[in-house]
Amino acid sequence: MRKLYLYLLASAILSLVILGWLIDSFSQTTLEVEDRFAWESKIAAGVATHVSTLPSALRAKTAAALANEFDIDIRLKEGATLALPKELKTAMLDPEGLILEDQAGFYLLKSTPDLLPDYLEFRLDKVEDTSERDDMALTLLFYAGVCLFMWFILSPLAKRLTALTNVAKRFASGDLSARIEVNHFTYIKDVELTFNRMANQIEKLLAENKLMASSLSHDIRTPVACLRFGVDAAQDAESLDEAQSYLTRMENDLDQMEAMLKSYLSFATLEQKAQALNFEETALRPYLTSLADQLMPKAKERHVQIKVSCPVNFPIVADLHWLARAIGNLISNACDFAKEHILLSAFIKDNQIFITVEDDGQGIAKENWAQVFKPFYREQTHRNREGQSYGLGLAIVAKVADWHHGDVSVGQSDELLGAKFVFSFPLKPVRKL
């Protein structure tokens, strides 16, 4: 949104500066009253100079003759009839004379030192005052220009908002694949990216809920059937010992159901914990070493060695609890399927942190690489050693990667020839969700 604010502010300032300059240029062409009567002032000055050289008795007659000859309304008047302050009378000696206005129009008063106290009165034609109309036109021009500038800036914004609204309506009507195509020149790129991310999260959550419902209904059938069989068998048992054995089996089935439901409910509420992430900074090498030490008892039980390789001890910023949960799940899985060795390594590339977990087991079939991170997916191969696996460990790893705006992938280890999991996320967090 910062880009939008900057564009709006820049357009407002630019429009005010440009339009103000244009209006100022137009207004400079408006002449003052004195400028309009420049040639009349020169005529009055010439007549006054000529008349002042004549005897007093001939001055009025000469002025009347000049007025008649040149068809101008000019006459000589006595100074005693002029009721003006001394300052204004002095202004009659200025080169442009003194211009006054009455109801009939303008008139020019001009005198010379030799002509005083008498003066010449030159009646001027009244010029139509167009200043009000000019001001109105300039005002309208100013507002029209501002509207034009704002339309030029806001028109692309309106188009993008319309596109976003249409996509939101499609998404709300049930088209979960509806996304807005982000434009690099849009003012609301952050809003569009946020909407797409929100739509992705909603689509993913709905898919996970559907998958969890179908998986739970499928997986719970077996223990329920076993319980029903155990109840029937216990009722038909001929001895107390035989009935007790069936009850013991039923207790195991109930434990399995309880563990299953606990895992499913834990995963179902996992997304809520994304709102309480706590990003902290720590050194990566001791952090990975500590994770390996925590899983060392399980590794020793499976006769597996864990090697940590982190050449550069660089700092990371992440939610250390959930990052440990994700990396711990990867190491724990590697302990289940490795033969002798597990390699935990880390490096930086293109401002991304890459943490890899490799083992020397038989690996994962290539056709299943895209499936293993989906919730409740269990590969029907040699990697299903654990009877209590519900296909949620790697799904949690994928969620933690998503929370850190990162990614997790699986492949084949070049060094150990088993499975290789790569967990990556930005060196600096994009934001705290």
Side-chain angles (χ1 to χ4, degrees):
M1 294 301 290
R2 184 190 305 175
K3 189 176 181 181
L4 173 60
Y5 299 148
L6 291 177
Y7 270 105
L8 290 178
L9 181 61
S11 64
I13 294 176
L14 187 64
S15 62
L16 291 175
V17 171
I18 293 178
L19 292 174
W21 175 77
L22 290 175
I23 291 175
D24 185 64
S25 299
F26 280 121
S27 65
Q28 292 298 327
T29 62
T30 304
L31 300 176
E32 297 295 333
V33 174
E34 291 79 0
D35 294 333
R36 300 179 196 166
F37 304 122
W39 69 271
E40 288 91 341
S41 298
K42 292 180 180 180
I43 292 177
V47 172
T49 302
H50 176 67
V51 170
S52 64
T53 60
L54 300 176
S56 299
L58 299 176
R59 289 176 179 177
K61 185 177 180 180
T62 302
L66 291 173
N68 184 56
E69 181 179 353
F70 292 102
D71 193 21
I72 55 177
D73 188 4
I74 191 170
R75 66 192 68 182
L76 182 66
K77 291 195 172 185
E78 296 180 1
T81 62
L82 184 62
L84 285 178
K86 184 178 179 180
E87 293 79 7
L88 292 180
K89 289 183 178 181
T90 305
M92 293 190 300
L93 299 176
D94 294 340
E96 63 275 8
L98 175 63
I99 297 177
L100 301 176
E101 183 181 8
D102 59 12
Q103 293 181 352
F106 297 98
Y107 55 97
L108 172 64
L109 304 182
K110 179 63 180 172
S111 184
T112 64
D114 297 331
L115 190 58
L116 287 175
D118 296 337
Y119 62 94
L120 286 175
E121 181 183 283
F122 190 176
R123 177 61 66 174
L124 307 173
D125 294 332
K126 188 171 185 179
V127 179
E128 183 182 1
D129 187 9
T130 60
S131 59
E132 279 193 28
R133 287 188 299 173
D134 292 342
D135 290 344
M136 181 72 70
L138 291 176
T139 302
L140 293 177
L141 179 63
F142 174 79
Y143 285 113
V146 171
C147 292
L148 182 62
F149 270 101
M150 298 308 293
W151 174 85
F152 180 77
I153 295 296
L154 296 179
S155 179
L157 174 61
K159 292 181 180 178
R160 298 306 301 172
L161 288 176
T162 302
L164 181 60
T165 301
N166 293 335
V167 172
K169 288 180 179 179
R170 287 172 48 202
F171 189 85
S173 63
D175 183 7
L176 299 182
S177 63
R179 302 289 186 276
I180 187 166
E181 199 171 323
V182 179
N183 191 323
H184 292 289
F185 300 100
T186 180
Y187 304 147
I188 54 172
K189 184 177 181 180
D190 291 342
V191 176
E192 295 174 357
L193 291 174
T194 302
F195 174 83
N196 286 345
R197 180 172 177 81
M198 177 199 69
N200 290 336
Q201 293 285 12
I202 293 175
E203 184 180 20
K204 187 184 299 183
L205 286 174
L206 290 176
E208 288 178 356
N209 287 339
K210 291 180 181 178
L211 184 59
M212 184 173 67
S214 61
S215 298
L216 182 59
S217 63
H218 177 271
D219 291 344
I220 207 170
R221 288 176 184 173
T222 300
V224 168
C226 292
L227 283 173
R228 182 175 296 278
F229 171 77
V231 170
D232 294 339
Q235 290 176 345
D236 297 336
E238 297 180 355
S239 64
L240 185 61
D241 292 338
E242 185 180 359
Q244 184 64 39
S245 66
Y246 285 124
L247 290 175
T248 302
R249 290 173 55 183
M250 290 168 61
E251 184 179 8
N252 293 334
D253 292 335
L254 285 173
D255 290 340
Q256 182 183 357
M257 287 180 62
E258 184 179 3
M260 181 190 305
L261 291 174
K262 185 177 180 181
S263 298
Y264 276 54
L265 292 176
S266 175
F267 183 80
T269 59
L270 192 62
E271 195 64 32
Q272 299 176 3
K273 298 174 183 177
Q275 308 300 325
L277 295 181
N278 181 27
F279 283 77
E280 300 176 281
E281 182 175 330
T282 189
L284 184 60
R285 183 187 295 165
Y287 181 73
L288 294 181
T289 302
S290 175
L291 291 179
D293 292 341
Q294 292 176 20
L295 290 165
M296 197 61 70
K298 182 175 181 178
K300 289 182 178 180
E301 182 183 345
R302 300 298 176 91
H303 307 289
V304 174
Q305 294 182 349
I306 302 177
K307 178 183 177 182
V308 179
S309 175
C310 186
V312 182
N313 187 24
F314 45 85
I316 62 169
V317 179
D319 186 293
L320 303 182
H321 167 74
W322 284 106
L323 182 61
R325 175 82 177 271
I327 305 303
N329 283 359
L330 295 178
I331 299 175
S332 178
N333 283 355
C335 289
D336 290 335
F337 307 112
K339 296 177 180 177
E340 295 180 356
H341 301 286
I342 295 174
L343 176 61
L344 174 62
S345 59
F347 62 91
I348 293 180
K349 181 179 179 182
D350 299 331
N351 290 324
Q352 291 277 115
I353 299 174
F354 293 86
I355 301 176
T356 64
V357 178
E358 306 172 58
D359 63 61
D360 58 353
Q362 296 186 21
I364 299 176
K366 189 173 183 180
E367 59 270 17
N368 295 328
W369 287 357
Q371 306 294 327
V372 293
F373 296 105
K374 292 183 178 180
F376 317 110
Y377 177 81
R378 282 166 285 185
E379 188 184 28
Q380 302 301 318
T381 63
H382 61 281
R383 294 189 72 86
N384 279 337
R385 288 186 183 178
E386 293 293 336
Q388 297 297 326
S389 173
Y390 302 107
L392 297 177
L394 294 180
I396 293 175
V397 174
K399 276 210 176 286
V400 174
D402 186 56
W403 292 347
H404 287 77
H405 291 262
D407 189 31
V408 61
S409 60
V410 63
Q412 184 177 10
S413 172
D414 295 330
E415 183 175 347
L416 300 180
L417 302 180
K420 177 181 180 180
F421 289 89
V422 181
F423 187 101
S424 62
F425 59 98
L427 187 59
K428 294 182 179 181
V430 178
R431 63 182 177 184
K432 295 182 180 181
L433 293 179

